[in-house]
Amino acid sequence: MQNIEAIGIGQNHYLILSAIIFSIGIMGVLFRKNIIMMLMSLELMLNAINLTFIAFGYFNGNLNGQIMVFFVMTLAAAEAAIGLAIAVMIYRKFNEVNIRYFEQMKG
Amino acid sequence: MSHQLLLSLLLLAPVLGFFINGFNFSSTKAIAVGTLGTLCSFISFICSLGLVLKLGGLPEDQRRLTVEFFNWLQVADLKIGFSFIVDQISAVMILIITGIGTLIHLFSVGYMSHDLRPAKYFAYLNLFLFNMLLLVLSDNLLLMFVGWEGVGLCSYLLIGFWFSDPAKASAGMKAFITNRIGDVGFLIGMFILFFQFGTLNFVEILSRLPAVAELGWTGPITLSCLALFIGATGKSAQIPLYVWLPDAMAGPTPVSALIHAATMVTAGVYMIVRLSGLFVLAPNVMMLIAVVGAATALFAALIGLTQWDIKKVLAYSTVSQLGYMFLAVGVGAFGGAMFHLMTHAFFKALMFLGSGSVIHAMHEEQDIRKMGGLAKKLPMTHATFLVGWLAIIGFPFLSGFFSKDEILWSVYASPNGHPLLWFIGVCGAGCTAFYMTRLMALTFWGKSRVPKEIHPHESPLVMTFPLIILAFFALTIGWVGVPHILASVLPGHIPNVFEHWLEPVVPKLSFIGKSSLLEWALMGISVSVAGLCAWLAFDFYIVHKERPKSFVLKMGKLYQFVSHKFYVDEFYKQRILDPLIEGSTALWAYVDVNFIDRLTYFIADFTVSAGAGLKSIQNGQTQQYALYILLGLVTTITWILVG
């Protein structure tokens, strides 16, 4: 712990890193057409949030942030499972996992 | 029975008949539905007899039965009860309506026996009876207006009863629309009266009248009387709104007898007599009524001289006779008008039914040029028609003589009358005698001109029986109103029952300073003019048959002018209807298409394009939705941070 502060890394560094990862994640979700890539980007966004939780928890000396991260991780696992299941179904039907096939799911 | 019960039954019997026959409208059993309709009408007649007897049993100054069923409308000051009044005037009317109505129902059973939709016919006839009773019995103007509109509706339905013929259907529409113009007048009159007196109840209006008559043309009473009179000209077929009545002959003939001769068309006269206390306060309007009445009496009689359709002649005769009633009302002889209304109802219903019998016998032929010599083939119809003819031309001691003579004498001698009006009246009487004699001569007398394929036969008893009853009354009903001057010389001193009966409710005329010699002279003149004209017509159409032709040739253009009904219909079409249609077309082509349509199109287009624009947002692409979420989030956060 001490060595992190020793090399001059503070709360802001964490937050900036997390913001960058979050933004990359958003870009991925918005602009990638491959569903697998989109799901990965979504994971990125969630993990960026996790990073902020941990950073705040650490620097404020409070464990609540760490606990929250466990919840987010379980949620992320469930979400990835469902997302991948849909992706598999789409692949079976169209032999591709492009997001534009989701339009076909309109009633 | 109490008078409430009698009155309820009087009104409900025709309604019941209307509903039973109306729900059963597809029935073709003419006898069954006709019997039901006649029975309902007859029940009404019995009830009205009962009511009149009850009324007669009361002391003279208290002869008024009122029945208030419920409070119909109450808005601020306006209070309208669903309530009825039986007094001397409405007593006369309900007897005429239900009595003659029953006879005409009976006649219709025979007349409509071959019709395809007799149930509908009798349902309409009963509905008419109910509305007419509503009109004459109501104790306020608004309820009267309900009946007024109701009879107009029934008139429309019955004129256009054979609606598959476009001419007949449009005759019905013409009657309805012309009546509507008059109804606007009636409504305006009602508004002014309510504004002025704060009530529409007849008794209350008459009790709140000012004591002195209103001079000039712009006072509220004068204006309301004028508006009401316009309403009356519509319903009672006076100049300028008389044009619908001759066309109304398109309906079945018993309908013409009931609605367009005996009852509905007299509603205008009844309304003015009912409000006589109001009308005498507007001397200018009274003068106008007298002038319009006299003009109509002569005008319609002149047109009647040239018509070839048996029913058209009778129709113009009706217009002319109604003119006499308005003439009488205009000079203040309200009793005389009611008297003529009653006698006219009998003899004109008689003649219309007689013409119905002729038309029935001639297989729907109405042109008198194709008749002639029918007296031998239709003896009973001829005999009864003869009575009607004598009554209408004013043959001494028949009903028409008494009433017409009373009107002419009042016109001459009344303070509001004028010798000129009397002169016009006598001319009208002369014309009446001429065209009625002409009708008799061409239809019943002389040589037969009936086409060979038609074999006229006398009508069945169900049709001749009403004729006999009506002929009896046309002969005798005049004796209830024998003028004093005749009563003084006739044996037995017959009292003037009718005048005495109406005395408490209508303003009385004073003939002070008029000598009885003058009355004898005027009576002599009018009877001799009528006799002369009748003889002239007989000479023209029976003795010297070539004369009418040479006479027509001599008159040339004038005859054409009269036989085309003075081109009034053409004038109305050219000056009123065509400009109206052109104006409406212009409004449609310019205002509607350019302005209103464009506005609506613009609104519709805007909605469609806005929808199309918004639709492109919701395109089903998940990533775009995600973008919207992001944008929304950014906006919200920015808002929170900045604001």
Side-chain angles (χ1 to χ4, degrees), chain A residues 29-30 32-33 38 99 103, chain B residues 619-621 623 626-627 630:
Chain A
V29 170
L30 288 184
R32 295 306 293 254
K33 294 292 175 196
M38 281 177 70
I99 183 70
E103 288 172 31
Chain B
N619 56 3
Q621 289 178 21
Q623 284 178 313
L627 188 66
L630 183 70

Side-chain angles (χ1 to χ4, degrees), chain B residues 124 127-129 131 149-159 255 259:
Chain B
Y124 290 160
L127 183 66
F128 168 78
L129 221 53
N131 279 309
E149 290 297 305
V151 290
L153 168 72
C154 296
S155 159
Y156 161 75
L157 289 171
L158 286 165
I159 293 169
V255 169
I259 303 186

Side-chain angles (χ1 to χ4, degrees), chain B residues 46-62:
Chain B
I46 297 293
C47 292
S48 50
L49 262 185
L51 278 172
V52 173
L53 286 179
K54 250 187 205 318
L55 199 67
L58 293 171
E60 250 174 62
D61 49 345
Q62 293 166 13

